Amino acid sequence: MPRELVVRTVSDHGVGELRLNDPDRRNVLSFEMSEAIGTAVAEVLAAGAKAVVLTAAPPVFCSGGSLEGLISRARPLRDTYRGYRALFECPVPTLALVEGAAVGAGVNLALACDVVVAGDKARFDPRFLDVGIHPGGGHLRRLLERTGAQGAAALCLFGEALTGDEAVRAGLAWRCFEGDEARRSAFALADRAAGRDADLVRRAKDSLRLSRWVADDDAAFDLELAAQEWSVERPEFVVAVQRIRDALAARAR
């Protein structure tokens, strides 16, 4: 039987794991892999995932786009972006656990997630220009958001690569951990997100995304005010406030 390119599971706590599963080809982001990622995102959401963690079969997180596919151009480039877009547009919190090398378009997969957790063997190496191709898939925009103009230039134009610790200092990753602690910490974060009010988390994530495009402080105020008014009108808000009051009263006894 052919290997399943993306293995997906959903825990009892509502954490979906998408595991890139083509280690013999260094988890290359072929058209087939991109399609499998898009399908897997839809499937774990349908199965009730309230947070999603993207992982990879070792030793490489993702070696980038398929050079054979790029040379043959059997598929239009636009058709190869389904995996990125599915992760970026996912309505629940997403986290990339990068424990090996993320090269070229493999960096895009990490950047498409809300949070990146790195292992001590992680390496982030865009390398697009080294293989004669312009960055794609929203790569430059997301690099700019995470690392700023100088960081994006260093990585894209000057060919810099980052270890896990360096990625944290540059803003590309959130935390870096040694050994098995990377996976434990990544899934602890995902469990925490999945354990929160699912509708409220989705609305907050949507507001975070929309905040990228607001024109000024007044627009940001209006965006958040509408969401905040929605949140305080929900019965879940009353329950949460009462829970806090009960806890404070019990502590005061």
Side-chain angles (χ1 to χ4, degrees):
M1 290 181 62
R3 172 183 281 133
E4 188 175 20
L5 288 178
V6 180
V7 178
R8 52 278 227 179
T9 58
V10 179
S11 74
D12 293 340
H13 298 149
V15 175
E17 179 178 1
L18 310 182
R19 184 173 178 82
L20 307 184
N21 190 43
D22 195 7
D24 294 342
R25 300 180 64 208
R26 299 163 61 85
N27 296 317
V28 65
L29 191 58
S30 61
F31 171 78
E32 292 77 14
M33 176 67 88
S34 183
E35 287 290 295
I37 293 169
T39 298
V41 170
E43 288 182 353
V44 296
L45 289 174
K50 294 185 285 184
V52 173
V53 181
L54 178 68
T55 67
V60 173
F61 178 75
C62 177
S63 60
S66 167
L67 296 180
E68 293 83 0
L70 290 169
I71 290 170
S72 70
R73 282 180 276 181
R75 303 274 185 177
L77 277 173
R78 183 181 295 274
D79 291 352
T80 66
Y81 293 155
R82 184 184 172 205
Y84 307 146
R85 294 189 69 92
L87 288 167
F88 183 69
E89 295 169 1
C90 184
V92 305
T94 55
L95 185 152
L97 172 58
V98 180
E99 297 183 279
V103 179
V107 179
N108 277 13
L109 289 179
L111 290 173
C113 295
D114 298 315
V115 169
V116 178
V117 170
D120 53 359
K121 293 183 174 61
R123 183 173 175 82
F124 299 86
D125 187 359
R127 206 185 294 181
F128 284 97
L129 303 191
D130 292 344
V131 295
I133 187 170
H134 191 283
H139 179 82
L140 296 178
R141 178 182 179 87
R142 289 168 196 159
L143 264 188
L144 279 166
E145 288 179 343
R146 302 286 177 100
T147 68
Q150 182 168 244
L155 288 160
C156 173
L157 304 180
F158 290 83
E160 285 275 72
L162 302 175
T163 65
D165 281 331
E166 290 168 341
V168 172
R169 291 195 292 272
L172 197 156
W174 176 239
R175 297 278 179 86
C176 180
F177 299 95
E178 294 186 2
D180 295 339
E181 186 59 27
R183 182 175 176 87
R184 285 194 294 270
S185 298
F187 278 86
L189 276 174
D191 278 340
R192 191 186 307 164
R196 308 182 96 179
D197 181 325
D199 289 337
L200 186 59
V201 169
R202 285 182 178 231
R203 184 68 182 261
K205 174 166 176 171
D206 191 49
S207 294
L208 273 171
R209 180 181 294 136
L210 291 173
S211 294
R212 290 183 172 98
W213 293 285
V214 295
D216 51 38
D217 287 342
D218 286 341
F221 180 90
D222 290 341
L223 170 67
E224 293 180 13
L225 178 61
Q228 196 169 57
E229 288 175 337
W230 163 83
S231 69
V232 298
E233 291 170 358
R234 301 163 66 241
E236 290 86 349
F237 172 70
V238 177
V239 172
V241 170
Q242 189 58 53
R243 188 185 309 120
I244 294 168
R245 286 176 171 169
D246 292 344
L248 290 173
R251 196 178 304 165
R253 291 190 193 115

